[in-house]
Amino acid sequence: MPLHKALAHHAETRPDQLAVSLGARSLSFGELHRRSQALDGFFSTLPRQHRDQAQEVPLVAVHMGNHTALPELLAAALAGSCCIMLLDPLLPAARIQDILDRLPPDALFTAADGDNFHIKAPVYSVTSHESLDPLIAASPAQATSPTPSDPFMVAFTSGTTSTPKAFARDRASWQRSLGRGRSHFGMHAGLSTLAPGPLVHGLSLYAFAETLEAGASFHAMDKFTAEGAADIIARQKVRRLVCVPTMLEALSQTQPDLPDLAQITTAGAKLPPDLLAKTQDFARNAKITEYYGASELGFVTTITHRAGGTVAQSVGTAFREVTLDIRHPDAEGHGEIWVKSDLVIQDYLWRDDDSGFRRDGAWSSVGDIGRIEGGNLHLISRAGGMVTSGGNNIYLDEVSTHLRAHPMIKDAAVLGIEDRYLGTRLVAVVEPTDSGITQGALVAHCQSGLQKYKIPRAFYRLAKWPMTTSGKIATGQLNNWILEEDDRLAPL
């Protein structure tokens, strides 16, 4: 059933059952339903700002991490009639302001200190969940029947430019996605879930929605620690864990014993065989499922691992309702991955370049490269030089372009080096115009325009670039020099 009906049903039939727990705060289904309905009623009274997109329903921007007030704001959008715009708190303020200028919200809820965003709409400082009480008290609960074609969420995807690309999700596509996930992952009311990652990211946000729809209890963390996650799983007898592989790696290093886990769902990067084995050691009774997809495409492929099974190197087979095609394959069968699915977005709300999502009739692509063998998709590389580090998608060109904007940098290249914990760590090689350039200066420059996870972990300088025969920087040679600690590269 639609999410707004499911939440109302759970509030009526199990009002006192735990719906969501985040940090020191817990909400029952009855409380979550009442507070989210009142917030939805308040949002409906907001004066509308002029904007070119997403103008059909109230647009509410949220700029906070895993804050105790976030679940009810999310529920107001997921099960109400407004549209929520999720702003990553790690994004620099200048990028946030650019987004607010392009898509003015009807209200902004923020928990960050020192915010000074310029918008015409009201700004609400949320110091704690009690900050929402006056709005809730002044607004009667609104029983909504949202229109399936209306947008309910504006989210953002990484890009090759500094300003993220925005896209909107309508309720109908989300409902279809929840149905597919319920069927595939076997979600039910007894499958209490921990998703310790940021709720503004798709993996945890989707887990929140599907857990609420099923009537199960959802647990989140204000900040991830392996010890804290293991404690919640053991103490609350959590049955399902949803996280990126780096969190599994951190958990494995604490050597927990988590026999109550029945399912582990992971995405964002391929599970390395050794990490899969370590995960099966500490969660010996869990079925481990990973899936490949994209924010713009939804679910694409999936694979499930069981104890004693063969470790597959692919990212699995297509979801039942998804069709795959490899276009313009080379001699080894590697080509661009195209997807036919009813879960894809219509398009970005704005474009600063031609990268990213494209449509061709019923087919869509984000430019990833792969091949298909025996029905299994092997992912070769991500589009636009994208790498995944710590579960975050990063376009290398975005980081190198930002470095080149520094007045003491003539040229720069950013590489993704394989890393056991992060999956990939970023390393920058620069050609400075002044030998006095320091790593601290470049880190500060990166902090002015990039999220923290996009800042390279190491910086090198060189006097002469290795070049390919076509006149491009030979990044493969740079990669070898870094791994070999070649003296042609000098650490900053």
Side-chain angles (χ1 to χ4, degrees):
M1 67 179 74
L3 192 51
H4 70 281
K5 291 184 177 180
L7 186 54
H9 172 75
H10 302 320
E12 180 181 353
T13 59
R14 56 188 83 180
D16 298 325
Q17 180 186 315
L18 175 66
V20 58
S21 173
L22 197 167
R25 190 182 186 217
S26 298
L27 282 169
S28 68
F29 274 104
E31 292 170 323
L32 180 63
H33 185 241
R34 177 183 62 83
R35 291 177 69 86
S36 63
Q37 274 196 314
L39 285 171
D40 188 42
F42 168 73
F43 296 154
S44 68
T45 68
L46 292 169
R48 303 288 182 85
Q49 302 298 309
H50 175 74
R51 49 183 173 267
D52 296 329
Q53 306 105 336
Q55 213 162 339
E56 300 90 342
V57 296
L59 179 64
V60 177
V62 175
H63 181 243
M64 58 180 68
N66 279 12
H67 189 281
T68 55
L70 185 57
E72 57 209 273
L73 290 167
L74 290 175
L78 292 170
S81 56
C82 71
C83 182
I84 196 165
M85 181 161 67
L86 300 172
L87 302 172
D88 187 345
L90 296 180
L91 201 64
R95 301 282 74 79
I96 297 289
Q97 186 63 59
D98 188 15
I99 290 168
L100 295 173
D101 291 341
R102 294 177 186 230
L103 195 61
D106 301 321
L108 169 63
F109 289 79
T110 178
D113 294 332
D115 276 349
N116 190 26
F117 299 124
H118 303 290
I119 63 172
K120 295 180 180 178
V123 177
Y124 297 92
S125 178
V126 184
T127 55
S128 69
H129 63 270
E130 286 92 351
S131 303
L132 300 179
D133 289 349
L135 307 181
I136 291 172
S139 304
Q142 176 167 298
T144 57
S145 296
T147 304
S149 60
D150 281 344
F152 77 95
M153 177 179 67
V154 172
F156 300 88
T157 183
S158 297
T160 55
T161 57
S162 293
T163 300
K165 294 181 174 71
F167 62 92
R169 276 283 179 194
D170 63 50
R171 297 183 185 280
S173 71
W174 195 252
Q175 194 58 44
R176 289 193 296 270
S177 182
L178 287 172
R180 310 277 166 81
R182 188 188 323 115
S183 172
H184 181 77
F185 300 117
M187 193 67 209
H188 57 81
L191 209 56
S192 56
T193 296
L194 169 65
L199 283 167
V200 298
H201 292 177
L203 182 64
S204 295
L205 176 62
Y206 185 82
F208 175 70
E210 66 179 349
T211 306
L212 288 187
E213 186 202 39
S217 300
F218 180 82
H219 301 267
M221 302 177 68
D222 49 8
K223 184 178 182 180
F224 170 77
T225 65
E227 294 80 5
D231 177 67
I232 291 173
I233 294 169
R235 182 166 38 86
Q236 300 291 344
K237 296 194 179 300
V238 168
R239 302 285 290 159
R240 184 178 71 134
L241 173 64
V242 180
C243 65
V244 294
T246 52
M247 291 179 176
L248 293 177
E249 178 67 43
L251 270 169
S252 73
Q253 293 177 8
T254 68
Q255 298 183 327
D257 183 26
L258 303 173
D260 290 325
L261 276 179
Q263 289 190 25
I264 295 176
T265 301
T266 183
K270 176 66 183 170
L271 270 178
D274 62 332
L275 177 54
L276 175 60
K278 288 187 290 187
T279 303
Q280 289 171 330
D281 284 342
F282 72 73
R284 56 186 176 276
N285 297 319
K287 177 179 71 173
I288 302 172
T289 300
E290 55 180 316
Y291 67 85
Y292 156 70
S295 301
E296 302 94 326
L297 303 176
F299 295 131
V300 178
T301 65
T302 182
I303 187 168
T304 296
H305 308 280
R306 289 180 172 84
T310 303
V311 178
Q313 298 303 313
S314 74
V315 291
T317 58
F319 277 79
R320 185 168 49 191
E321 299 82 359
V322 173
T323 306
L324 298 177
D325 185 33
I326 303 297
R327 296 193 178 180
H328 312 297
D330 60 17
E332 296 179 324
H334 302 158
E336 194 170 58
I337 302 167
W338 284 77
V339 174
K340 184 190 290 184
S341 167
D342 59 357
L343 301 182
V344 301
I345 64 171
Q346 290 299 312
D347 202 351
Y348 297 128
L349 298 184
W350 59 69
R351 282 183 179 271
D352 295 331
D353 56 38
D354 294 329
S355 66
F357 178 78
R358 288 164 292 144
R359 295 187 74 112
D360 180 12
W363 294 87
S364 303
S365 177
V366 292
D368 289 348
I369 303 299
R371 72 175 189 275
I372 297 176
E373 291 182 4
N376 291 282
L377 177 66
H378 293 254
L379 188 62
I380 305 304
S381 64
R382 304 303 295 257
M386 190 183 84
V387 299
T388 301
S389 180
N392 299 295
N393 293 337
I394 303 169
Y395 285 87
L396 301 178
D397 285 349
E398 176 191 359
V399 184
S400 59
T401 298
H402 188 76
L403 284 170
R404 290 189 199 101
H406 191 285
M408 294 171 65
I409 296 301
K410 181 179 180 180
D411 204 352
V414 178
L415 295 86
I417 305 297
E418 185 175 347
D419 185 273
R420 183 177 182 82
Y421 177 65
L422 294 170
T424 304
R425 60 184 167 90
L426 299 192
V427 174
V429 180
V430 299
E431 180 185 357
T433 59
D434 189 318
S435 59
I437 188 69
T438 65
Q439 176 164 313
L442 291 182
V443 168
H445 174 68
C446 289
Q447 290 171 335
S448 70
L450 299 171
Q451 290 108 313
K452 182 178 179 180
Y453 60 81
K454 294 180 180 179
I455 300 175
R457 299 296 180 109
F459 292 81
Y460 296 88
R461 69 173 185 267
L462 48 55
K464 184 177 180 181
W465 294 97
M467 307 297 288
T468 66
T469 55
S470 60
K472 298 180 180 180
I473 293 175
T475 54
Q477 187 64 63
L478 287 176
N479 188 87
N480 290 338
W481 288 356
I482 292 168
L483 295 178
E484 296 166 1
E485 300 181 352
D486 193 287
D487 58 12
R488 279 170 284 196
L489 294 179
L492 288 184

